[in-house]
Amino acid sequence: MFPRRTIHLTVSAATLTAALGYAVPAAASVRYDAETKSGYADAADVRKAFGWSDHTLAARAADLAFSHDFWTNDTYSVSCGKGSFRIEHQSEFGRFELTDRVVREPRRGGSTGYGESSRTAGFRITGPYAGISGTSLPPAVGQSCPEPRGPRVTRAELVSTTSGWSLTVSFGDVSRILRSGR
């Protein structure tokens, strides 16, 4: 039997790679439709994701950014002369920057206005305003071998494909996944 190893090829932009690896989804109560890229993130879910208090969220709410990341990963069985091994190849990747609106509600016992007497209730996500995506070529016969098992790829066979997406919220350089799916 041939040894099995997965080699991760770096084919995506650094921002997407970072987007895929930072956290587990914070809350299943976030309502989000990946098709329309719209929904609602409750303030409690965002606070929990960052570990913030009500006051910190209120102070930073306007500076939060929501995005929808998506990807397709293909797994190939590749040969370069001395045995076969597996390669995970990211064939499609991208991101939509999402439009959001802070939803506020009056505090208990407060006036009906929206100054100090209101609190951040959540974020209405209304869809994308910008996006970027890309594709990359899979391993192919004749290319340089990505492992020291021979000079050239002699066989490349698609074994499986998985696709996924995530709803992400960011504050500065810190990002958290709120919801994800396949």
Side-chain angles (χ1 to χ4, degrees), residues 21-90:
Y22 36 64
V24 201
S29 64
V30 172
R31 294 183 309 271
Y32 182 70
D33 181 342
E35 292 294 316
T36 63
K37 291 154 195 63
S38 62
Y40 183 80
D42 191 81
D45 296 322
V46 176
R47 280 194 321 271
K48 180 179 176 184
F50 286 106
W52 291 346
S53 67
D54 281 338
H55 180 73
T56 302
L57 178 62
R60 296 178 176 174
D63 295 322
L64 291 174
F66 291 85
S67 62
H68 172 98
D69 298 317
F70 60 92
W71 58 91
T72 299
N73 293 331
D74 296 330
T75 301
Y76 284 85
S77 177
V78 175
S79 296
C80 293
K82 296 181 183 177
S84 295
F85 53 96
R86 300 239 174 175
I87 292 178
E88 186 175 297
H89 170 76
Q90 193 169 43

Side-chain angles (χ1 to χ4, degrees), residues 12 57 59 69 79 93 111 125 173 177 180:
S12 66
L57 178 62
D69 298 317
S79 296
F93 45 90
S111 68
I125 301 164
D173 291 339
I177 296 174
S180 63

